[in-house]
Amino acid sequence: MDEMEEELKCPVCGSFYREPIILPCSHNICLACARNILVQTPDAESPQSSRASGSGVSDYDYLDLDKMSLYSEADSGYGSYGGFVSAPTTPCQKSPNGVRVFPPTVPQPQQQHLLPHPGSLTPIPRNSCITCPQCHRSLILDDRGLRGFPKNRVLEGVVDRYQQSKAAALKCQLCEKSPKEATVMCEQCDVFYCDPCRLRCHPPRGPLAKHRLVPPAQGRISRRASPRKISTCTEHELENLSMYCVQCKMPVCYQCLEEGKHGTHEVKALGAMWKLHKGQLSQALNGLSDRATEAKEFLVQLKNMVQHIQENGVEFEACLVAQCDALIDALNRRKAQLLSQVNKEHEHKLKVVRDQISHCTVKLRQTTGLMEYCLEVIKENDPSGFLQISDALIRRVHMTESQWGKGTLTPRMTSDFDLTLDSGPLLQTIHQLDFVQMKVPAAPMLQLEECCTQNNSATLSWKQPPLSTIAVDGYILELDDGNGGPFREVYVGTETICTVDGLHFNSTYKSRVKAFNASGVGQYSKTLIMQTSEIAWFTFDPASAHPDIIFSNDNLTVSCNSYDDRVVLGNTAFSRGVHYWEMTVDRYDNHPDPAFGIARSDVLKDVMLGKDDKAWAITDGGITKGATIGVLLDFTRGILIFLVNDEQQGPVAFEGLEGAYYPAISLNRNVQVTLHTGLPIPDFYTPGEADPTGSVC
């Protein structure tokens, strides 16, 4: 909780808040400090008339640049503060927290006799103005003065709990000589015990066994705790705050509603809004907590990088000295220059990383302090007090989370020295000796958000690491066979995205990529595992079909303009797994004898399917208009089964199938067929077992 201490200190006095009040800008300040920084406006003229007169410029004219109108629909009574012409010139000061503070004006000599006794409280003069020491927004107080600002009871309670947790250890109340440190407190007896006195005076058995023993710190808090105070309205001190004005974002009483100030506004129950805002703050803290965790891990990474830079720098210097010592005297003169260049690079890298560590450490401490403060605020049981600060805290949490945005947790410098000394030049060219780039490329990074699979195709995308400056000539993409086999090259080129077609359905592929240049081949990227579609979606293929075939319905429906049989294939080949598709006969005139089945890519396209040894098909079996022909291809058993209108045609049509096959049909002008894909395996069939008729393949 040490990081939270900055949240609990007044920006003016630098000490823990005492009787904190909430300014309209949502910042807090001690009540006594607020009295100390009040300034008085001239009584003779208003701020508006002073600005209009333009007779001079004072130190308070800066307020015009950053003023905040405080007239709201809630009619809070605070007005915007302009500049003063006749206000005395008073230099600003700085608080212990480094915040600008404007002290009160020095009274004129003729006013000295009106000053109160030093020991009494100075009354708030009319037309007094207060400037927020944090955002420098100013406002004029109304007749109520500082009493018009609500007290931040939640912050006061958090400060009290924090100070109690830092207090000295509690002592046992029953030790006769030199009391020992207390270890427990009995809530019923209201006594602090050390371990020996607890065993002697408060035994765990007997009538005291049911008493509740708690840690000393918890017991001190419960002893000092008082019942939750009922908040009263600042406008109507005899009325309790019971409602919440959504439009003005403040708790109100029933008299505020009756008098019309909030009569037309949307109001909700105080307890409901209390729970709602606690939930919103808790949700915002979750995101900020994730950022803080990432920041801690990032700091560890940066600290490790410092060590790597130092190790790499020492190693590089040693190699450089060893190479330079082997050269002649002219090379020794050049050696000093090269060492100076390496040291500059070394120091530059260290400076950049250390600066980033310092910046990130400060930001993390502030974030952690805000988180701990918010968690303590959430524990508060005062709804109105909580709601007075919840909006500001939620905004601060969101704003702090946005500061940990993209790029904040990315190293600004690499720990590698991308320099290698080339000792090959001749002695007469020693004066031209310089560092040259001779390293192989770093491992590429796969862009997971752009990698995907579709049907039996896989698309992969990659890029070079952001801090890598090594030239790349090209990339090599490798995939395995989808069955745990060895990797094979599927692409070599300069592109950083590649789509691989013709993969097996329902298969898991491993992929990786590496870069190369003139110096050699770099390391592989991380291995990416990709799953192809379990069920095949495909259409008829116009590119490989006979010219007489007519396509429609997005290549799912085919017909023919010839009386002779013509063959058309699907656009996807199968060589592994179990697949099922169907075709419906839309038109069937004059017994045209269409054929349905599978074929290799080099099947004859101008004869009936199945007339050569490149295709396997069914040509009869009750095929008529409106019939549905199903084709079941099982490569795990090497068999082909046909169905007509969901009835299997024989036990097994063909056996011993191996290789790659395309869905295929042959038809003439008297037939029109529509293809249906993406279908599940029929329920009657179990892959890898004996066929339904009892025969074994």
PDB file of all heavy atoms in Angstrom, residues 538-558:
ATOM      1  N   PHE A 538     -17.738 -27.495 -51.817  1.00  0.00           N
ATOM      2  CA  PHE A 538     -17.138 -27.335 -53.148  1.00  0.00           C
ATOM      3  C   PHE A 538     -18.244 -27.142 -54.177  1.00  0.00           C
ATOM      4  O   PHE A 538     -19.445 -27.263 -53.878  1.00  0.00           O
ATOM      5  CB  PHE A 538     -16.267 -28.548 -53.498  1.00  0.00           C
ATOM      6  CG  PHE A 538     -17.001 -29.867 -53.497  1.00  0.00           C
ATOM      7  CD1 PHE A 538     -17.586 -30.368 -54.662  1.00  0.00           C
ATOM      8  CD2 PHE A 538     -17.121 -30.615 -52.330  1.00  0.00           C
ATOM      9  CE1 PHE A 538     -18.271 -31.569 -54.658  1.00  0.00           C
ATOM     10  CE2 PHE A 538     -17.798 -31.816 -52.321  1.00  0.00           C
ATOM     11  CZ  PHE A 538     -18.375 -32.302 -53.493  1.00  0.00           C
ATOM     12  N   THR A 539     -17.842 -26.819 -55.403  1.00  0.00           N
ATOM     13  CA  THR A 539     -18.761 -26.626 -56.528  1.00  0.00           C
ATOM     14  C   THR A 539     -18.220 -27.387 -57.730  1.00  0.00           C
ATOM     15  O   THR A 539     -17.140 -27.989 -57.668  1.00  0.00           O
ATOM     16  CB  THR A 539     -18.888 -25.134 -56.878  1.00  0.00           C
ATOM     17  OG1 THR A 539     -17.609 -24.648 -57.332  1.00  0.00           O
ATOM     18  CG2 THR A 539     -19.342 -24.320 -55.675  1.00  0.00           C
ATOM     19  N   PHE A 540     -18.979 -27.351 -58.848  1.00  0.00           N
ATOM     20  CA  PHE A 540     -18.451 -27.878 -60.100  1.00  0.00           C
ATOM     21  C   PHE A 540     -17.387 -26.929 -60.640  1.00  0.00           C
ATOM     22  O   PHE A 540     -17.428 -25.710 -60.390  1.00  0.00           O
ATOM     23  CB  PHE A 540     -19.572 -28.053 -61.124  1.00  0.00           C
ATOM     24  CG  PHE A 540     -20.518 -29.176 -60.784  1.00  0.00           C
ATOM     25  CD1 PHE A 540     -21.854 -28.916 -60.498  1.00  0.00           C
ATOM     26  CD2 PHE A 540     -20.077 -30.487 -60.741  1.00  0.00           C
ATOM     27  CE1 PHE A 540     -22.731 -29.934 -60.178  1.00  0.00           C
ATOM     28  CE2 PHE A 540     -20.945 -31.521 -60.427  1.00  0.00           C
ATOM     29  CZ  PHE A 540     -22.275 -31.252 -60.139  1.00  0.00           C
ATOM     30  N   ASP A 541     -16.433 -27.487 -61.414  1.00  0.00           N
ATOM     31  CA  ASP A 541     -15.273 -26.715 -61.867  1.00  0.00           C
ATOM     32  C   ASP A 541     -15.396 -26.382 -63.355  1.00  0.00           C
ATOM     33  O   ASP A 541     -15.232 -27.258 -64.203  1.00  0.00           O
ATOM     34  CB  ASP A 541     -13.994 -27.527 -61.617  1.00  0.00           C
ATOM     35  CG  ASP A 541     -12.748 -26.748 -61.971  1.00  0.00           C
ATOM     36  OD1 ASP A 541     -12.837 -25.517 -62.075  1.00  0.00           O
ATOM     37  OD2 ASP A 541     -11.679 -27.383 -62.146  1.00  0.00           O
ATOM     38  N   PRO A 542     -15.678 -25.116 -63.710  1.00  0.00           N
ATOM     39  CA  PRO A 542     -15.778 -24.750 -65.130  1.00  0.00           C
ATOM     40  C   PRO A 542     -14.453 -24.887 -65.871  1.00  0.00           C
ATOM     41  O   PRO A 542     -14.439 -25.124 -67.095  1.00  0.00           O
ATOM     42  CB  PRO A 542     -16.244 -23.290 -65.080  1.00  0.00           C
ATOM     43  CG  PRO A 542     -16.794 -23.091 -63.708  1.00  0.00           C
ATOM     44  CD  PRO A 542     -16.012 -23.998 -62.828  1.00  0.00           C
ATOM     45  N   ALA A 543     -13.326 -24.724 -65.154  1.00  0.00           N
ATOM     46  CA  ALA A 543     -12.027 -24.721 -65.829  1.00  0.00           C
ATOM     47  C   ALA A 543     -11.683 -26.083 -66.419  1.00  0.00           C
ATOM     48  O   ALA A 543     -11.057 -26.172 -67.484  1.00  0.00           O
ATOM     49  CB  ALA A 543     -10.945 -24.275 -64.847  1.00  0.00           C
ATOM     50  N   SER A 544     -12.070 -27.168 -65.758  1.00  0.00           N
ATOM     51  CA  SER A 544     -11.708 -28.509 -66.236  1.00  0.00           C
ATOM     52  C   SER A 544     -12.849 -29.225 -66.950  1.00  0.00           C
ATOM     53  O   SER A 544     -12.667 -30.345 -67.436  1.00  0.00           O
ATOM     54  CB  SER A 544     -11.241 -29.357 -65.050  1.00  0.00           C
ATOM     55  OG  SER A 544     -12.296 -29.516 -64.104  1.00  0.00           O
ATOM     56  N   ALA A 545     -14.032 -28.610 -67.037  1.00  0.00           N
ATOM     57  CA  ALA A 545     -15.198 -29.281 -67.627  1.00  0.00           C
ATOM     58  C   ALA A 545     -15.148 -29.241 -69.154  1.00  0.00           C
ATOM     59  O   ALA A 545     -14.429 -28.438 -69.772  1.00  0.00           O
ATOM     60  CB  ALA A 545     -16.474 -28.620 -67.122  1.00  0.00           C
ATOM     61  N   HIS A 546     -15.938 -30.117 -69.772  1.00  0.00           N
ATOM     62  CA  HIS A 546     -16.066 -30.124 -71.234  1.00  0.00           C
ATOM     63  C   HIS A 546     -16.748 -28.817 -71.671  1.00  0.00           C
ATOM     64  O   HIS A 546     -17.627 -28.297 -70.971  1.00  0.00           O
ATOM     65  CB  HIS A 546     -16.896 -31.336 -71.688  1.00  0.00           C
ATOM     66  CG  HIS A 546     -16.828 -31.582 -73.150  1.00  0.00           C
ATOM     67  ND1 HIS A 546     -17.599 -30.903 -74.053  1.00  0.00           N
ATOM     68  CD2 HIS A 546     -16.068 -32.466 -73.882  1.00  0.00           C
ATOM     69  CE1 HIS A 546     -17.340 -31.321 -75.271  1.00  0.00           C
ATOM     70  NE2 HIS A 546     -16.404 -32.290 -75.192  1.00  0.00           N
ATOM     71  N   PRO A 547     -16.406 -28.268 -72.831  1.00  0.00           N
ATOM     72  CA  PRO A 547     -16.996 -26.990 -73.265  1.00  0.00           C
ATOM     73  C   PRO A 547     -18.516 -27.030 -73.424  1.00  0.00           C
ATOM     74  O   PRO A 547     -19.157 -25.966 -73.388  1.00  0.00           O
ATOM     75  CB  PRO A 547     -16.301 -26.722 -74.602  1.00  0.00           C
ATOM     76  CG  PRO A 547     -15.009 -27.478 -74.524  1.00  0.00           C
ATOM     77  CD  PRO A 547     -15.309 -28.698 -73.728  1.00  0.00           C
ATOM     78  N   ASP A 548     -19.112 -28.209 -73.616  1.00  0.00           N
ATOM     79  CA  ASP A 548     -20.558 -28.279 -73.805  1.00  0.00           C
ATOM     80  C   ASP A 548     -21.340 -28.178 -72.490  1.00  0.00           C
ATOM     81  O   ASP A 548     -22.575 -28.107 -72.511  1.00  0.00           O
ATOM     82  CB  ASP A 548     -20.933 -29.598 -74.500  1.00  0.00           C
ATOM     83  CG  ASP A 548     -20.422 -29.636 -75.938  1.00  0.00           C
ATOM     84  OD1 ASP A 548     -20.198 -28.546 -76.505  1.00  0.00           O
ATOM     85  OD2 ASP A 548     -20.249 -30.740 -76.485  1.00  0.00           O
ATOM     86  N   ILE A 549     -20.658 -28.179 -71.352  1.00  0.00           N
ATOM     87  CA  ILE A 549     -21.332 -28.111 -70.056  1.00  0.00           C
ATOM     88  C   ILE A 549     -21.783 -26.667 -69.805  1.00  0.00           C
ATOM     89  O   ILE A 549     -21.039 -25.714 -70.027  1.00  0.00           O
ATOM     90  CB  ILE A 549     -20.410 -28.595 -68.925  1.00  0.00           C
ATOM     91  CG1 ILE A 549     -20.042 -30.074 -69.140  1.00  0.00           C
ATOM     92  CG2 ILE A 549     -21.071 -28.404 -67.573  1.00  0.00           C
ATOM     93  CD1 ILE A 549     -21.214 -31.019 -69.050  1.00  0.00           C
ATOM     94  N   ILE A 550     -23.022 -26.511 -69.297  1.00  0.00           N
ATOM     95  CA  ILE A 550     -23.587 -25.197 -68.973  1.00  0.00           C
ATOM     96  C   ILE A 550     -23.698 -25.096 -67.442  1.00  0.00           C
ATOM     97  O   ILE A 550     -24.285 -25.973 -66.794  1.00  0.00           O
ATOM     98  CB  ILE A 550     -24.973 -25.017 -69.619  1.00  0.00           C
ATOM     99  CG1 ILE A 550     -24.869 -25.164 -71.149  1.00  0.00           C
ATOM    100  CG2 ILE A 550     -25.565 -23.663 -69.245  1.00  0.00           C
ATOM    101  CD1 ILE A 550     -26.216 -25.167 -71.839  1.00  0.00           C
ATOM    102  N   PHE A 551     -23.163 -23.974 -66.890  1.00  0.00           N
ATOM    103  CA  PHE A 551     -23.134 -23.781 -65.429  1.00  0.00           C
ATOM    104  C   PHE A 551     -24.123 -22.689 -65.029  1.00  0.00           C
ATOM    105  O   PHE A 551     -24.323 -21.707 -65.744  1.00  0.00           O
ATOM    106  CB  PHE A 551     -21.732 -23.372 -64.959  1.00  0.00           C
ATOM    107  CG  PHE A 551     -20.697 -24.446 -65.128  1.00  0.00           C
ATOM    108  CD1 PHE A 551     -20.035 -24.597 -66.344  1.00  0.00           C
ATOM    109  CD2 PHE A 551     -20.393 -25.306 -64.091  1.00  0.00           C
ATOM    110  CE1 PHE A 551     -19.081 -25.583 -66.507  1.00  0.00           C
ATOM    111  CE2 PHE A 551     -19.434 -26.288 -64.252  1.00  0.00           C
ATOM    112  CZ  PHE A 551     -18.776 -26.441 -65.465  1.00  0.00           C
ATOM    113  N   SER A 552     -24.721 -22.857 -63.829  1.00  0.00           N
ATOM    114  CA  SER A 552     -25.624 -21.855 -63.256  1.00  0.00           C
ATOM    115  C   SER A 552     -25.646 -22.034 -61.740  1.00  0.00           C
ATOM    116  O   SER A 552     -25.014 -22.964 -61.206  1.00  0.00           O
ATOM    117  CB  SER A 552     -27.037 -21.990 -63.844  1.00  0.00           C
ATOM    118  OG  SER A 552     -27.581 -23.275 -63.542  1.00  0.00           O
ATOM    119  N   ASN A 553     -26.373 -21.132 -61.062  1.00  0.00           N
ATOM    120  CA  ASN A 553     -26.537 -21.241 -59.610  1.00  0.00           C
ATOM    121  C   ASN A 553     -25.180 -21.297 -58.901  1.00  0.00           C
ATOM    122  O   ASN A 553     -24.922 -22.163 -58.063  1.00  0.00           O
ATOM    123  CB  ASN A 553     -27.369 -22.491 -59.269  1.00  0.00           C
ATOM    124  CG  ASN A 553     -27.774 -22.558 -57.798  1.00  0.00           C
ATOM    125  OD1 ASN A 553     -27.812 -21.535 -57.126  1.00  0.00           O
ATOM    126  ND2 ASN A 553     -28.054 -23.759 -57.306  1.00  0.00           N
ATOM    127  N   ASP A 554     -24.282 -20.349 -59.268  1.00  0.00           N
ATOM    128  CA  ASP A 554     -22.943 -20.280 -58.674  1.00  0.00           C
ATOM    129  C   ASP A 554     -22.181 -21.588 -58.836  1.00  0.00           C
ATOM    130  O   ASP A 554     -21.506 -22.062 -57.908  1.00  0.00           O
ATOM    131  CB  ASP A 554     -23.033 -19.911 -57.188  1.00  0.00           C
ATOM    132  CG  ASP A 554     -23.564 -18.514 -56.963  1.00  0.00           C
ATOM    133  OD1 ASP A 554     -23.347 -17.662 -57.852  1.00  0.00           O
ATOM    134  OD2 ASP A 554     -24.207 -18.272 -55.926  1.00  0.00           O
ATOM    135  N   ASN A 555     -22.298 -22.173 -60.038  1.00  0.00           N
ATOM    136  CA  ASN A 555     -21.577 -23.403 -60.398  1.00  0.00           C
ATOM    137  C   ASN A 555     -22.024 -24.621 -59.579  1.00  0.00           C
ATOM    138  O   ASN A 555     -21.301 -25.619 -59.512  1.00  0.00           O
ATOM    139  CB  ASN A 555     -20.066 -23.225 -60.239  1.00  0.00           C
ATOM    140  CG  ASN A 555     -19.502 -22.160 -61.155  1.00  0.00           C
ATOM    141  OD1 ASN A 555     -20.073 -21.885 -62.225  1.00  0.00           O
ATOM    142  ND2 ASN A 555     -18.387 -21.568 -60.766  1.00  0.00           N
ATOM    143  N   LEU A 556     -23.219 -24.540 -58.966  1.00  0.00           N
ATOM    144  CA  LEU A 556     -23.762 -25.698 -58.257  1.00  0.00           C
ATOM    145  C   LEU A 556     -24.721 -26.502 -59.130  1.00  0.00           C
ATOM    146  O   LEU A 556     -25.018 -27.665 -58.814  1.00  0.00           O
ATOM    147  CB  LEU A 556     -24.480 -25.250 -56.980  1.00  0.00           C
ATOM    148  CG  LEU A 556     -23.600 -24.683 -55.865  1.00  0.00           C
ATOM    149  CD1 LEU A 556     -24.452 -24.148 -54.727  1.00  0.00           C
ATOM    150  CD2 LEU A 556     -22.647 -25.759 -55.347  1.00  0.00           C
ATOM    151  N   THR A 557     -25.231 -25.927 -60.204  1.00  0.00           N
ATOM    152  CA  THR A 557     -26.161 -26.600 -61.117  1.00  0.00           C
ATOM    153  C   THR A 557     -25.531 -26.668 -62.497  1.00  0.00           C
ATOM    154  O   THR A 557     -24.979 -25.676 -62.992  1.00  0.00           O
ATOM    155  CB  THR A 557     -27.494 -25.842 -61.187  1.00  0.00           C
ATOM    156  OG1 THR A 557     -28.061 -25.783 -59.873  1.00  0.00           O
ATOM    157  CG2 THR A 557     -28.461 -26.535 -62.128  1.00  0.00           C
ATOM    158  N   VAL A 558     -25.622 -27.874 -63.149  1.00  0.00           N
ATOM    159  CA  VAL A 558     -25.038 -28.062 -64.484  1.00  0.00           C
ATOM    160  C   VAL A 558     -26.060 -28.748 -65.397  1.00  0.00           C
ATOM    161  O   VAL A 558     -26.928 -29.506 -64.955  1.00  0.00           O
ATOM    162  CB  VAL A 558     -23.748 -28.909 -64.426  1.00  0.00           C
ATOM    163  CG1 VAL A 558     -22.636 -28.158 -63.718  1.00  0.00           C
ATOM    164  CG2 VAL A 558     -24.000 -30.245 -63.742  1.00  0.00           C
TER     165      VAL A 558
END
